[in-house]
């Protein structure tokens, strides 16, 4: 038996390594994406006053802290008796939505322009020395500027809703601590070019059209890169619309049959179980009633566009129809179509932001509601990378006594392993050494999920790449390190 | 009749009321001498020493030293500023201060002094003393990791009989602030509020109201500590 190890993976947030096990004929028998960091946020929030959670736990991540901030706040809404989702005041809910869609916008823009566009623009097989954001900046300066400005715009929204661009304090149990002043609103609506919503909608649309153009030319590659059937899970609005902030839990199988039918997420642990495997700090969640083998699912943009029935904004809905037609309305299982789905969400986020900025509720002063206090609450949100679960229980003195977090990348743990497996079998069967294209293929498969491995183990770090090819008796045959 | 005397601060001549505490005299002249344990109107404790100044060449605590005629006070000198910075650093390493998730952040005098004196890395090793949180009272949480032993709460927060709600327990390294459990049950809203305001750091916290003030509206978001006093001088 031979073993190939790839670690750590580049242009992915966090740290992980890949091992590819070969048999004596150099055929792939098993692949594993190991996540070797451990941070233990669930443990160290214990004993903290509950209202600290949204501010403390968001420090899991510097990329999408807003998702953690809001998921925690949503769980605490339940604890302070403000109900879930729609229990808040209009200003409370809409300010949080604005924060969230602002974050979605900046994160998706970051992913597309900085992390995945080098592959599209410069070619998957281009020299890694130029196949990065610097290469994009040199060869496509206009696009690079767009990426930077879209990210900036999203962060400007976050600053005006959360108080700071990173790690703010806006969402508090039962609501929000500020509204959006007229000046703040006008800055975001009508700021000098390009930092205004009109330009952002335009650019989001052009990024999407760019991807579609690329896709038309490289259809074979994109479709066949990593295709495998799976279940898909996300929140959807009660009427089946795409909703990234709040909804019910829905899962569909690879043919589109409902396997989780719009259930209340307060009871998520009735439906979802997490498996621990000795070789990774990242757990493996699955749908209980389907079991470990059949119950795993994907989350994120691809999954969301598979579970929802429609997108409640006109431009994105039109694009959604084109996208759905590609798979005849059935769930899409093409791994690299995640990028397509992500860009549709980018456009949708811009449209939602535009609507919210025009909503006078954001200037009202009724910010917080509280009701009968309970001791336990669950908050779910669709983070950029997929469904994020926060669950807290407090003691009679208002201290957190239990916390459980299932982050998006953990939900995607099995799918990422499956993708790596698919690609490894295709590229590495019969190979004795790790070539550049092989390494890239594995990375691309992982990166499609935009994984944040530090979050997933509640660990800190960046993710570079290292591959090890290990023989039947454990000897290293080839070793690549970036 | 109060007697007016002459004195200098950093070489500049002033006149002031004899017997008045140096920190207060200076404040009236628009000169900031930092305080942490001092609270106007409350018997001075002189415990934190952040107000250290040199009087006629000797170190004195500005919050306990009354003004006398012909005092030569040094306040804004590199030596004194470094001593104050060292005190701030000591206070940081002695407790467990994790500002990023502390609800007092932005309103905290210790943090504000850290910024004012441009503390980067403390010159002393961290103690990592293990202290717990007392959340058992209905209105307050006592986050002992952040206590700087200024004794303001002990001196200021009392019930109708004049009994202190707060007291120090233990000795030396194991000294801890504690809230009287029985008294705490009947503590009024007003006293709970007063206690939180009196505490210069994030040790005494009202329950369930954390982070209600948005970033940008907190005490030290736009002005550094002491500027309210110094602007009198401008
Ligand atoms: S009390 Fe002040 S210095 Fe200590 S953690 Fe809180 S904000 Fe920071
Ligand atoms: S609890 Fe606050 S007010 Fe009381 S001694 Fe400690 S730091 Fe000072």
């Amino acid at each position: 038996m031979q073993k190939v190890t790839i670690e750590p993976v580049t242009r992915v947030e966090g740290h992980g390594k890949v091992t590819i096990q070969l048999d004596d004929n150099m055929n792939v028998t098993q692949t594993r994406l190991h996540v070797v960091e451990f941070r233990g946020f669930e443990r160290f929030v214990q004993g903290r006053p509950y209202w600290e959670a949204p501010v403390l736990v968001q420090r899991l991540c510097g990329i999408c802290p807003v998702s953690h901030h809001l998921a925690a706040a949503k769980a605490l809404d339940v604890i302070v008796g403000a109900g879930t989702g729609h229990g808040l005041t209009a200003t409370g809910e809409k300010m949080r939505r604005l924060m969230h869609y602002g974050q979605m916008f900046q994160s998706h823009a970051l992913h597309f322009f900085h992390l995945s566009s080098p592959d599209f623009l410069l070619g998957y097989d281009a020299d890694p020395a130029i196949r990065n954001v610097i290469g994009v900046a040199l060869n496509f300066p206009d696009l690079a500027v767009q990426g930077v400005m879209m990210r900036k715009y999203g962060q400007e929204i976050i600053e005006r809703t959360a108080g700071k661009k990173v790690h703010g304090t806006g969402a508090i149990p039962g609501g929000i601590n500020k509204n959006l002043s007229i000046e703040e609103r006008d800055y975001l609506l009508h700021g000098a070019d390009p930092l205004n919503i009109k330009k952002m909608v335009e650019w989001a649309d052009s990024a999407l059209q760019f991807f579609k153009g690329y896709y038309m030319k490289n259809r074979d590659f994109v479709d066949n890169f990593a295709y495998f059937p799976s279940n898909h899970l996300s929140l959807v609005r009660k009427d089946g619309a795409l909703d990234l902030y709040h909804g019910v839990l829905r899962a569909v199988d690879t043919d589109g049959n409902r396997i989780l039918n719009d259930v209340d997420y307060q009871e998520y642990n009735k439906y979802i179980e997490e498996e621990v495997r000795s070789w990774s700090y990242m757990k493996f969640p699955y749908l209980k009633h389907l079991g470990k083998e059949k119950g795993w699912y994907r989350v994120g943009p691809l999954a969301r566009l598979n579970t929802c029935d429609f997108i409640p904004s006109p431009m994105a809905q039109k694009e959604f129809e084109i996208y759905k037609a590609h798979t005849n309305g059935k769930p899409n299982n093409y791994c690299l179509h995640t990028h397509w789905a992500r860009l549709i969400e980018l456009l949708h986020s811009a449209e939602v932001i535009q609507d919210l900025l025009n909503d006078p509720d954001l200037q009202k002063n009724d910010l917080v509601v509280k009701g009968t206090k309970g001791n336990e609450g669950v908050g779910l949100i669709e983070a950029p990378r997929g469904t994020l679960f926060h669950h807290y229980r407090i003691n009679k003195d208002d201290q957190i006594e239990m916390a459980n977090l299932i982050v998006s990348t953990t939900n995607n743990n099995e799918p990422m392993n499956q993708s790596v497996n698919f690609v490894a079998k295709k590229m590495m069967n019969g190979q004795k050494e790790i070539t550049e294209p092989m390494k890239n293929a594995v990375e691309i498969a992982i990166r499609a999920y935009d994984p944040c491995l530090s979050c997933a183990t509640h660990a800190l770090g960046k993710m570079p790449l290292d591959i090890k090819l290990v023989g039947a008796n454990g000897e290293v045959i080839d070793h690549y390190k970036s | 009749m109060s007697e007016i005397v002459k004195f200098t601060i950093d070489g500049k001549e002033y006149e002031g009321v004899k017997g008045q505490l140096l920190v207060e005299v200076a404040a009236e002249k628009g000169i900031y001498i930092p305080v942490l344990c001092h609270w106007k109107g409350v018997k001075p404790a002189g415990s934190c020493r952040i107000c250290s100044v040199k009087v006629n060449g000797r170190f004195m605590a500005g919050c306990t030293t009354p003004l006398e005629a012909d005092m030569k006070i040094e306040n804004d000198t590199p030596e004194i500023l470094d001593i104050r910075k060292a005190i701030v650093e000591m206070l940081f390493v002695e407790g467990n201060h994790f500002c990023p998730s502390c609800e007092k952040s932005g309103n905290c005098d210790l943090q504000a002094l850290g910024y004012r004196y441009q503390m980067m890395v403390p010159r002393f090793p961290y103690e990592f003393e293990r202290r717990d949180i007392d959340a058992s009272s209905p209105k307050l949480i006592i986050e002992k990791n952040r206590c700087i032993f200024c004794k303001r709460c002990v001196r200021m927060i009392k019930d109708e009989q004049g009994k202190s709600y707060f007291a120090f327990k233990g000795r030396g390294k194991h000294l801890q602030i504690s809230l009287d459990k029985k008294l705490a049950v009947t503590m009024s809203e007003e006293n709970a509020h007063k206690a939180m305001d009196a505490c210069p750091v994030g040790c005494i916290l009202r329950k369930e109201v954390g982070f209600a003030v948005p970033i940008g509206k907190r005490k030290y978001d736009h002005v550094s500590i002491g500027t309210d006093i110094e602007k009198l001088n401008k």
Side-chain angles (χ1 to χ4, degrees):
Chain A
M1 267 214 311
Q2 318 285 344
K3 208 168 162 194
V4 183
T5 309
I6 303 184
E7 68 172 340
V9 186
T10 57
R11 277 184 281 147
V12 163
E13 308 300 334
H15 193 118
K17 68 174 186 178
V18 177
T19 324
I20 298 163
Q21 191 78 53
L22 308 175
D23 64 13
D24 289 333
N25 301 322
M26 295 301 202
N27 289 322
V28 174
T29 55
Q30 188 190 48
T31 55
R32 282 172 173 179
L33 170 64
H34 305 258
V35 177
V36 290
E37 280 160 307
F38 185 70
R39 205 171 184 188
F41 262 79
E42 286 154 331
R43 179 66 190 78
F44 74 63
V45 297
Q46 283 175 19
R48 302 305 311 167
Y50 71 77
W51 52 91
E52 234 179 54
V55 178
L56 176 62
V57 181
Q58 66 178 339
R59 303 224 164 225
L60 267 169
C61 181
I63 301 294
C64 66
V66 168
S67 308
H68 288 287
H69 182 59
L70 290 173
K74 286 182 78 181
L76 300 177
D77 292 345
V78 180
I79 289 180
V80 300
T84 63
H86 304 299
L88 305 189
T89 64
T91 314
E93 182 182 333
K94 287 175 186 174
M95 280 296 286
R96 285 194 192 175
R97 279 184 181 270
L98 181 60
M99 192 194 302
H100 187 51
Y101 281 87
Q103 128 110 351
M104 194 62 87
F105 187 77
Q106 68 90 14
S107 175
H108 278 4
L110 170 80
H111 185 272
F112 180 71
F113 287 97
H114 296 186
L115 305 178
S116 50
S117 78
D119 297 331
F120 304 135
L121 293 166
L122 306 164
Y124 279 92
D125 41 13
D127 179 356
I130 61 147
R131 192 169 44 87
N132 53 40
V133 67
I134 308 293
V136 173
L138 292 175
N139 293 286
F140 303 88
D142 291 353
L143 271 180
V145 168
Q146 279 186 26
V148 171
M149 289 319 231
M150 286 168 87
R151 182 157 155 75
K152 178 165 165 56
Y153 184 78
Q155 286 178 319
E156 298 286 344
I157 293 178
I158 296 169
E159 182 172 356
R160 280 157 187 80
T161 47
K164 270 195 330 169
K165 289 193 174 87
V166 185
H167 298 145
T169 63
I172 52 178
I176 193 91
N177 66 14
K178 74 184 288 288
N179 65 9
L180 194 74
S181 68
I182 299 278
E183 300 75 59
E184 289 170 324
R185 182 200 65 187
D186 289 348
Y187 175 83
L188 295 168
L189 265 178
H190 313 299
D193 261 352
L195 290 176
N196 56 62
I197 188 59
K198 199 165 151 254
K199 198 79 191 169
M200 292 299 133
V201 174
E202 192 186 308
W203 279 359
D205 189 45
S206 72
L208 173 58
Q209 303 314 328
F210 169 80
F211 178 85
K212 280 158 68 191
Y214 169 84
Y215 174 60
M216 284 310 163
K217 281 187 237 127
N218 299 277
R219 204 169 162 149
D220 270 0
F221 171 76
V222 174
D223 286 355
N224 296 321
F225 180 77
Y227 171 90
F228 59 91
S230 76
N231 304 317
H232 300 272
L233 174 135
S234 82
L235 291 176
V236 294
R237 201 165 77 185
K238 271 208 171 106
D239 60 358
L242 178 72
D243 191 332
L244 305 172
Y245 174 75
H246 188 64
V248 287
L249 256 188
R250 179 186 286 185
V252 297
D253 68 12
T254 189
D255 297 317
N257 303 310
R258 296 266 175 96
I259 48 176
L260 202 58
N261 198 3
D262 299 359
V263 298
D264 178 0
Y265 64 67
Q266 290 305 316
E267 301 186 313
Y268 79 99
N269 50 15
K270 247 165 84 178
Y271 310 104
I272 289 163
E273 186 94 45
E274 287 181 278
E275 186 198 354
V276 176
R277 296 184 198 165
S278 57
W279 46 270
S280 178
Y281 274 124
M282 191 150 76
K283 293 175 181 171
F284 289 82
Y286 60 92
L287 291 169
K288 263 185 196 172
H289 70 288
L290 296 177
K292 283 179 203 170
E293 293 297 313
K294 294 207 171 110
W296 60 273
Y297 51 82
R298 287 192 242 205
V299 299
L302 190 77
R304 290 193 281 254
L305 296 202
N306 283 334
T307 52
C308 77
D309 301 325
F310 65 99
I311 298 183
S313 69
M315 290 170 79
Q317 169 63 17
K318 243 169 98 195
E319 293 293 339
F320 178 66
E321 285 161 19
I322 299 168
Y323 169 87
K324 285 303 260 192
H326 188 75
T327 51
N328 298 319
K330 291 278 181 210
N332 185 323
N333 287 303
Y334 300 102
C335 219
L336 288 191
H337 286 214
T338 307
H339 297 297
W340 189 353
R342 187 177 292 117
L343 290 166
I344 295 176
E345 287 189 342
L346 178 75
L347 178 60
H348 172 60
S349 300
E351 289 183 283
V352 172
I353 292 166
Q354 188 164 37
D355 285 352
L356 284 168
L357 290 175
N358 284 303
D359 189 330
D361 279 347
L362 289 183
Q363 277 78 50
K364 293 187 179 154
N365 289 311
D366 200 1
L367 304 180
V368 179
V369 276
K370 288 190 179 173
T372 313
K373 201 155 134 201
N375 70 342
E376 196 162 353
V378 178
L380 258 69
I381 200 159
E382 284 299 324
R385 292 151 185 83
T387 320
L388 169 64
F389 299 61
H390 277 220
H391 178 191
Y392 301 98
R393 193 171 61 237
I394 63 168
N395 66 16
K396 61 171 190 9
D397 294 333
D398 295 326
Q399 293 168 286
I400 294 170
E401 112 191 328
M402 185 282 300
N404 187 37
L405 313 174
I406 310 178
V407 307
S408 321
T409 300
T410 303
N411 283 309
N412 272 333
N413 197 358
E414 183 65 29
M416 285 193 293
N417 272 283
Q418 294 278 344
S419 292
V420 170
N421 193 273
F422 183 95
V423 171
K425 284 203 166 127
K426 209 164 87 178
M427 306 279 295
M428 296 210 186
N429 268 348
Q431 303 296 325
K432 262 205 215 91
E433 54 179 29
I434 308 149
T435 61
E436 195 59 39
M438 285 179 189
K439 182 185 72 107
N440 292 346
V442 171
E443 273 189 69
I444 290 162
I446 299 171
R447 205 179 312 125
Y449 293 91
D450 191 7
C452 191
L453 301 182
S454 52
C455 260
T457 50
H458 320 314
L460 181 70
K462 258 207 162 277
M463 198 177 189
L465 178 74
D466 191 314
I467 311 178
K468 230 181 246 165
L469 182 66
V470 183
N473 304 316
E475 75 277 21
V476 178
I477 294 174
D478 192 13
H479 188 183
Y480 164 84
K481 208 167 182 179
S482 61
Chain B
M1 262 287 285
S2 47
E3 188 187 336
I4 304 294
V5 294
K6 286 193 172 158
F7 64 99
T8 63
I9 299 182
D10 295 330
K12 215 171 150 193
E13 282 185 18
Y14 296 95
E15 286 184 352
V17 178
K18 185 180 171 186
Q20 214 185 346
L21 297 172
L22 296 190
V23 287
E24 289 170 11
V25 179
E28 279 171 14
K29 313 286 174 209
I31 294 164
Y32 177 61
I33 300 176
V35 294
L36 280 169
C37 66
H38 186 67
W39 189 282
K40 203 172 174 180
V42 177
K43 194 169 169 244
S47 62
C48 75
R49 300 277 148 173
I50 194 74
C51 63
S52 293
V53 287
K54 263 187 172 173
V55 179
N56 302 335
R58 282 184 56 207
F59 275 108
M60 308 284 270
C63 74
T64 55
T65 309
L67 180 67
E68 281 176 36
D70 304 323
M71 274 185 162
K72 283 192 180 52
I73 302 163
E74 290 169 60
N75 176 50
D76 198 4
T77 69
E79 182 193 20
I80 292 171
L81 295 183
D82 188 59
I83 279 178
R84 290 181 186 157
K85 185 175 175 184
I87 291 171
V88 171
E89 291 172 8
M90 259 189 255
L91 292 170
F92 266 99
V93 300
E94 187 193 38
N96 297 303
H97 294 269
F98 184 54
C99 297
S101 65
C102 176
E103 60 187 88
K104 193 85 173 197
S105 188
N107 290 313
C108 170
D109 290 355
L110 178 65
Q111 185 192 54
L113 285 171
Y115 281 121
R116 183 167 173 124
Y117 295 120
Q118 298 177 355
M119 174 185 129
M120 303 303 273
V121 177
R123 67 196 80 176
F124 311 105
Y126 281 97
E127 295 273 328
F128 297 118
E129 187 64 23
R130 259 189 104 99
R131 300 187 199 150
D132 34 288
I133 302 181
D134 176 8
S136 62
S137 85
K139 296 199 176 72
L140 295 176
I141 276 198
I142 313 301
E143 213 317 1
K144 297 180 185 174
N145 291 293
R146 302 175 186 150
C147 180
I148 57 166
F149 307 101
C150 70
K151 237 181 173 178
R152 275 190 193 173
C153 55
V154 182
R155 290 176 289 152
M156 291 169 66
I157 315 300
K158 302 186 175 173
D159 71 1
E160 282 123 38
Q161 277 79 48
K163 256 182 103 180
S164 277
Y165 286 91
F166 294 89
F168 282 161
K169 287 221 169 109
R171 324 186 56 165
K173 217 173 146 171
H174 304 296
L175 188 70
Q176 292 203 351
I177 189 73
S178 81
L179 170 60
D180 187 299
K181 281 201 175 17
K182 273 201 208 110
L183 285 181
V185 176
T186 53
M187 188 182 232
S188 67
E189 263 309 310
E190 199 200 331
N191 265 334
H193 211 99
K194 233 172 101 186
M196 179 161 170
D197 287 348
C199 182
V201 291
C203 177
I204 303 178
L205 301 167
R206 297 268 318 283
K207 280 189 170 178
E208 309 195 86
V209 296
F211 306 103
V213 180
I215 295 169
K217 295 246 159 79
R218 301 170 308 181
K219 206 161 148 196
Y220 302 120
D221 277 338
H222 303 294
V223 287
S224 91
I225 190 167
T227 37
D228 52 335
I229 288 174
E230 285 163 335
K231 76 173 176 241
L232 299 173
N233 220 351
K234 297 254 154 78

